[in-house]
């Protein structure tokens, strides 16, 4: 069987408070296990399982997942924004939903909801070497 590689890119495409005003900034971003998005990426990589059906069908690619870190630190509103396959979307969402609690973000001393969008890349070793 092919060796499988998954990569969660620690690139934050978007992180914004969920306030209505477009110019609101988060004073303190949410933290994951005393770290940031990089730590979350490491955690996610260790929890992603390349779906067997996707391997069989040679499905790979980048899944963009949006989620919200709530004022209580919980992950909610997980949804796929873009994906090459429902099979990969389901796995990406499963991992994000299983995240332990974060420390909530803050704006002006008050906890706020913060929305993130991250890419999760699924590729086998053979697919990676072909590029």
């Amino acid at each position: 069987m092919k060796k499988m590689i998954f990569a969660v890119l620690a690139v934050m495409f978007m992180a914004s408070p969920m306030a209505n005003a477009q110019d609101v900034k988060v004073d303190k971003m949410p933290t994951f296990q005393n770290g940031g998005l990089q730590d979350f990426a490491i955690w996610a990589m260790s929890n992603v399982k390349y779906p067997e059906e996707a391997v069989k069908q040679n499905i790979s690619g980048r899944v963009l997942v949006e989620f919200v870190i709530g004022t209580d630190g919980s992950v909610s509103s997980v949804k796929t924004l873009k994906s090459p396959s429902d099979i990969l979307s389901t796995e990406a969402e499963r991992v994000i939903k299983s995240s332990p609690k974060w420390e909530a973000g803050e704006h002006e001393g008050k906890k706020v909801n913060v929305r993130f969008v991250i890419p999760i890349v699924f590729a086998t070793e053979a697919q990676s070497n072909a590029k």
Side-chain angles (χ1 to χ4, degrees), residues 3-67:
K3 182 178 177 187
M4 289 168 266
I5 300 173
F6 340 98
V8 177
L9 302 178
V11 175
M12 183 172 40
F13 284 132
M14 181 178 76
S16 63
M18 294 186 63
N20 292 330
Q22 292 293 335
D23 58 351
V24 173
K25 303 281 189 235
V26 176
D27 299 328
K28 179 179 168 253
M29 290 298 291
T31 56
F32 180 79
Q33 298 181 345
N34 296 317
L37 206 53
Q38 189 81 359
D39 296 289
F40 180 66
I42 292 166
W43 176 87
M45 282 192 311
S46 68
N47 286 281
V48 168
K49 295 178 179 74
Y50 205 130
E52 199 64 37
E53 190 60 30
V55 174
K56 288 178 187 174
Q57 294 181 32
N58 200 30
I59 299 170
S60 63
R62 184 173 68 163
V63 179
L64 284 179
V65 182
E66 177 182 75
F67 59 99

Side-chain angles (χ1 to χ4, degrees), residues 15-128:
S16 63
M18 294 186 63
N20 292 330
Q22 292 293 335
D23 58 351
V24 173
K25 303 281 189 235
V26 176
D27 299 328
K28 179 179 168 253
M29 290 298 291
T31 56
F32 180 79
Q33 298 181 345
N34 296 317
L37 206 53
Q38 189 81 359
D39 296 289
F40 180 66
I42 292 166
W43 176 87
M45 282 192 311
S46 68
N47 286 281
V48 168
K49 295 178 179 74
Y50 205 130
E52 199 64 37
E53 190 60 30
V55 174
K56 288 178 187 174
Q57 294 181 32
N58 200 30
I59 299 170
S60 63
R62 184 173 68 163
V63 179
L64 284 179
V65 182
E66 177 182 75
F67 59 99
V68 173
I69 303 302
T71 57
D72 66 351
S74 64
V75 174
S76 65
S77 303
V78 179
K79 70 178 181 179
T80 298
L81 300 178
K82 185 176 180 181
S83 177
S85 164
D86 288 344
I87 297 168
L88 298 182
S89 296
T90 299
E91 176 59 11
E93 288 181 18
R94 180 196 68 79
V95 170
I96 302 300
K97 287 176 182 176
S98 70
S99 170
K101 283 197 172 188
W102 294 51
E103 185 175 321
E106 294 181 10
H107 177 68
E108 296 180 353
K110 294 182 182 177
K111 293 184 182 200
V112 294
N113 294 331
V114 179
R115 182 185 335 252
F116 287 95
V117 176
I118 64 166
I120 299 177
V121 179
F122 292 85
T124 64
E125 185 174 343
Q127 292 161 340
S128 294

